């Protein structure tokens, strides 16, 4: 059984994010994922700058998107994000992007982040202390 | 044994493509993939607008990126792209992004595209005639 | 004395919008201007899609940005937008982007839009009827 | 009579740079301007990283774009860039973006950059020595 934390955010589609097919350009979903991670950080008290102040970057090392339906200009994306608890020093988020005007799932996706020292950009292979403490303070849900 | 076609393109990194970590923002690799597909289209006589004139959009339905190393501003990305021959009505590209200044593999990735009718945006489930003819005219390599 | 309408919106800065100087990349202010026009459209009942349904695109024909201070990742941009009443068939917006964390003016700017027929992409030289009616229904402020 | 230096670059339009009107999104012209400044830097031996190594950022403090015609996906933008010699510590570029498929001027524009110390991000009010030396070594044209 997985332990998870959930968050979500409503993202209005920018005109500049559409392409000549009239829909959100596929690569822009990674911006929606980023918006969702930001919201998650606010909701659970672990924002990007907090992590940075602890001495770490948390770059994306893997990302996946599966597109199921389109989002047109003028529509809104509802992004649900789920953090999975992991033993390893990896941050794994899963995403579901809903076209909030039609209710359809527009896309699902996943990202993996690692901990990298800001000083020398080398990889931290074990879970940093501050992150372990943060994990312990959360009320994880059973999925 | 797979049948493949190869192409490659050199992409200079734009300042606007970097982020506050000083490196190419991860989502911009999907733009490099797009550049590589364009080059592939030119090299093999099957550009996006040709496909459009045949009555099809070929939207991305799946994309994956794995990041191995960073690309900094001022460096160039060499993108190698490989099309795999498939029986189904899917266009599957694999990518390798090399930091051309260090020779390191910065990322690998994959995209899947499908054929969608421009008229009603429904899915074409069998390989369109024009695409089948194009496939037959190519000199596929054994991988 | 000018007649004006005002609106404003709070825009969180995306990580992908920063550059290798650690600040919002200058060109992204045009996205903030776009966000402000969207908000204006919602506030005054004249959204982009309403205009489109009346048979018009309203492309930007001129834009200007003056940068006064930086906005860093993690900060928010407050964008104030002002529409000026004009006799000619032009839509002129002025913008003020405040770094909402420091209170400083980060940028000021201006855009001009024209009316273009969606059918043949030619310019409409006189103010469209629907727009004239909309203008008359507003409670313009003296600046 | 003005003293100038000229450069130019051919930029293929990315699909991701188009919008739902089917044309290049207006804000992306600032990326074309950036591409042209890069090319200029290469042509005249004064690249962004050279400036950085001398201890300066050269942020954009003002930008202007006037749009005259559209550029569609599949077309190429030819960007002509002109540096004007100035007495003050400002870098002023003028741009002309040609739709290379139609020969039409798509846009004209201008940017102003200043010298900012990388150490404390304060403004350098006089022309830096390294820049003055670079200026003297160039073969300026009379406009």
């Amino acid at each position: 059984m997985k332990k998870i934390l959930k968050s979500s955010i409503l993202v209005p589609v920018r005109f500049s994010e559409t392409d000549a097919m009239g829909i959100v350009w596929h690569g822009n979903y990674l911006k929606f994922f980023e918006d969702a991670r930001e919201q998650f950080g606010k909701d659970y008290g672990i924002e990007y700058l907090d992590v940075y102040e602890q001495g770490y970057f948390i770059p994306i090392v893997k990302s996946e998107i599966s597109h199921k339906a389109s989002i047109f200009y003028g529509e809104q994306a509802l992004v649900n994000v789920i953090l999975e608890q992991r033993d390893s020093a990896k941050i794994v988020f899963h995403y579901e992007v809903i076209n909030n005007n039609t209710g359809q799932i527009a896309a699902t996706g996943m990202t993996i982040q690692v901990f990298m020292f800001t000083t020398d950009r080398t990889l931290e292979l074990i879970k940093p202390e501050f992150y372990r403490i943060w994990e312990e303070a959360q009320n994880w849900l059973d999925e």
Side-chain angles (χ1 to χ4, degrees), chain A:
Chain A
M1 199 162 57
K2 284 177 193 166
K3 295 285 188 184
I4 62 163
L5 294 175
K6 290 180 179 186
S7 190
S8 61
I9 188 172
L10 207 54
V11 184
V13 168
R14 281 177 173 164
F15 191 71
S16 56
E17 289 166 355
T18 58
D19 64 26
M21 277 195 287
I23 58 174
V24 173
W25 181 66
H26 68 98
N28 286 327
Y29 283 79
L30 292 179
K31 295 186 180 174
F32 299 165
F33 291 179
E34 193 164 274
D35 289 345
R37 287 195 305 276
E38 292 284 319
Q39 187 58 49
F40 182 95
K42 274 180 198 137
D43 291 348
Y44 294 96
I46 187 155
E47 298 193 56
Y48 194 86
L49 290 175
D50 301 331
V51 175
Y52 181 77
E53 278 162 26
Q54 295 291 336
Y56 299 97
F57 288 131
I58 40 171
I60 301 277
V61 291
K62 190 164 178 48
S63 59
E64 290 181 8
I65 321 169
S66 294
H67 300 273
K68 318 283 190 189
S70 298
I71 303 183
F72 289 80
Y73 173 70
E75 296 183 328
Q76 279 193 315
L78 172 66
V79 191
N80 297 316
V81 59
I82 286 175
L83 178 72
E84 269 182 28
Q85 201 176 35
R86 290 285 175 123
D87 291 333
S88 61
K90 285 182 178 167
I91 304 172
V92 180
F93 282 109
H94 288 269
Y95 310 85
E96 189 184 53
V97 182
I98 313 287
N99 178 326
N100 209 40
N101 295 58
T102 64
Q104 280 183 301
I105 295 178
T108 58
M110 190 267 294
T111 57
I112 302 178
Q113 288 164 277
V114 292
F115 294 92
M116 185 182 269
F117 295 105
T118 54
T119 44
D120 60 2
R121 290 180 189 254
T122 57
L123 201 64
E124 166 61 289
L125 294 170
I126 59 164
K127 224 180 256 188
E129 178 72 4
F130 88 93
Y131 188 72
R132 219 181 38 72
I133 290 168
W134 173 83
E135 279 189 329
E136 275 167 26
Q138 307 310 311
N139 294 312
W140 297 83
L141 308 171
D142 295 321
E143 195 184 32

